Amino acid sequence: RFTDQFTGEVFGSFYANIRPTYQGRRYHQRYEDLVLGAKGNWQMNKNNGFAFSYTFDNYAKKDDYNLVKLVEKVYNNINHSARLYYTGTFGQHTFNAGVEAVHESLRHYMMKDTGMVSRTQFSLCVQEDWKINNALNIVVGLRGDKSPNYSFHITPKVSALYRPLSFLTFRAGYSQGYRIPSLKELYQEFNMAGMITIYGNKDLKAETSNSFSTSAEYVHRNYCFTLTGYYNILDNEISTIWNPALDAGKGAMAYYNVEGTSLASVDATVVARYSCGFGAKLSYAYFHEFTRHNMPITSDSRPHTFTAQVDYRKTFKHYEMSVTLNGRYLSEGTYSTLDTATKTYRKTTSAAYSLWRLIVQQRLYQAVQITLGIDNLFNYRPKVYQYNSPFTTGTSFTVGVAVELEQLFKHL
């Protein structure tokens, strides 16, 4: 703290991890991440202030050879990000405005000759939060983005909150989304062990979306009921598609813009909490994806998801304990995958499954915490392990002990 109006902070961290040499290889892998930054706040008066920050993030993956002094950098992602925001309060209005700049450099083994590419993005944003009265609040905002080879694009958003009664709340919102292609989607050229090649596409357009949401919440005594609906329309969606004309007629995968998809979801949640220490939560979500012109659905989206939790908490003078049982059920899902032998899409089904966890925590004198956990309580194991199946080999047990010495010495 420099003055009562100005505060600042400088931070940094370094992470390193070395993995052992895999069988048949002559090198081991090193992962490093260096983060440096600074942030500050200037509160001109109680109603007006600025916040600014800068962050440098350098993440690298290296192949370190065992018998010779050779280190090869196969992945490197460097980000510089700077932000400046203003917040002002004027009666029932809160106004926010900001500017942001991000410079990204990427070296990736999926690029041709492990090359490096970079770009700089700029964005502006403004937002008005208007509390009309105790029952009605409206938020309106605009954001503008600019990146090389893409024109300046403005996306709006608007949301409203209406609380006619203290225990009843309604919300509704609309927003547009905008995403320019990632560097990998633009420049990738990656051969997957000779089975298939994936190419980037420098002619990709930016993805856009229109999102609608609405919700109702009822809170009374020990209960809370929430019902939420979403509808999202994606245009110029970026996806990998098989193109038989690539690689001199051999065919390959490449990134292309497709017309898009529409996503619809409904969530319902019930929460109960009692003074005796018992609590429960039950939720259900329905999800449906619509494609256009019979395009295959390649995302592993599950139409039905259930989650549940039951817990008990009790506090005594020098002792606290809690028991929590939670789990979720994911229904069977159907999606399309590319058959590398026939080079055609075929429908695939992902199996339904359920995972449960039991956690028991005890705390003594606010100083010693003992945690006992059982993951995958009912010992579920997938028949076939795939990218979309849970990576579990069965039931596992964990024990954790944490001691806060300062608190412990106070009670000795």
Side-chain angles (χ1 to χ4, degrees), residues 15-23 25-32 59-66 109:
Y15 163 85
N17 182 29
I18 299 177
R19 290 187 178 181
T21 303
Y22 291 110
Q23 185 176 2
R25 292 186 177 179
R26 295 173 295 174
Y27 59 84
H28 58 272
Q29 293 178 324
R30 288 165 44 189
Y31 299 84
E32 299 174 354
Y59 178 79
K61 176 183 175 182
K62 303 175 181 179
D63 291 339
D64 193 342
Y65 287 81
N66 301 325
Y109 57 87

Side-chain angles (χ1 to χ4, degrees), residues 59 64 66 78 84 89 97 105 124 132 141 160 166-167 213 237 272 278 303 329-331:
Y59 178 79
D64 193 342
N66 301 325
I78 302 174
L84 175 64
T89 302
S105 299
L124 303 169
I132 299 174
S166 61
F167 53 83
S213 65
E237 183 181 5
F278 280 102
Y329 166 82
L330 275 71
S331 69

Side-chain angles (χ1 to χ4, degrees), residues 308-333:
Q309 176 173 307
V310 179
D311 61 77
Y312 175 73
R313 305 170 188 172
K314 193 67 175 179
T315 301
F316 300 94
K317 184 177 181 181
H318 299 299
Y319 174 73
E320 301 174 21
M321 64 89 67
S322 68
V323 181
T324 303
L325 173 67
N326 59 54
R328 66 171 183 166
Y329 166 82
L330 275 71
S331 69
E332 180 182 273

Side-chain angles (χ1 to χ4, degrees), residues 365 367 403-412:
Y365 293 100
V403 179
E404 296 183 23
L405 296 178
E406 182 180 356
Q407 293 290 333
L408 183 62
F409 291 142
K410 289 182 179 179
H411 293 87
L412 293 179

Side-chain angles (χ1 to χ4, degrees), residues 357-386:
R357 173 187 295 177
L358 178 65
I359 301 174
V360 178
Q361 288 186 323
Q362 300 178 82
R363 191 172 181 88
L364 303 172
Y365 293 100
Q366 296 291 319
V368 179
Q369 179 171 297
I370 303 172
T371 303
L372 307 174
I374 305 176
D375 285 325
N376 195 354
L377 186 62
F378 300 107
N379 199 33
Y380 170 77
R381 298 182 184 183
K383 293 182 180 179
V384 178
Y385 287 93
Q386 304 178 96

Side-chain angles (χ1 to χ4, degrees), residues 149-280:
N149 303 320
Y150 294 89
S151 58
F152 184 71
H153 187 87
I154 295 178
T155 51
K157 74 170 184 178
V158 59
S159 63
L161 180 148
Y162 179 54
R163 185 176 287 117
L165 301 169
S166 61
F167 53 83
L168 185 62
T169 304
F170 297 97
R171 293 179 175 88
Y174 164 76
S175 64
Q176 286 187 0
Y178 177 77
R179 185 182 79 86
I180 63 172
S182 67
L183 292 174
K184 191 173 74 169
E185 292 168 338
L186 291 169
Y187 301 107
Q188 175 172 312
E189 185 176 325
F190 180 59
N191 187 302
M192 297 179 63
M195 295 185 298
I196 194 172
T197 302
I198 304 176
Y199 290 98
N201 184 351
K202 297 179 183 179
D203 297 324
L204 287 173
K205 300 177 182 178
E207 285 185 346
T208 59
S209 65
N210 290 272
S211 301
F212 305 84
S213 65
T214 183
S215 69
E217 181 183 74
Y218 174 81
V219 180
H220 184 61
R221 295 183 179 176
N222 302 322
Y223 304 96
C224 176
F225 302 88
T226 305
L227 182 65
T228 305
Y230 305 91
Y231 190 72
N232 194 5
I233 304 170
L234 298 174
D235 293 301
N236 291 327
E237 183 181 5
I238 299 173
S239 180
T240 50
I241 298 177
W242 174 258
N243 186 341
L246 293 176
D247 281 355
K250 296 179 181 179
M253 298 287 286
Y255 287 96
Y256 293 101
N257 289 105
V258 297
E259 286 200 24
T261 58
S262 297
L263 312 174
S265 175
V266 177
D267 300 345
T269 303
V270 179
V271 179
R273 174 64 60 188
Y274 303 97
S275 58
C276 62
F278 280 102

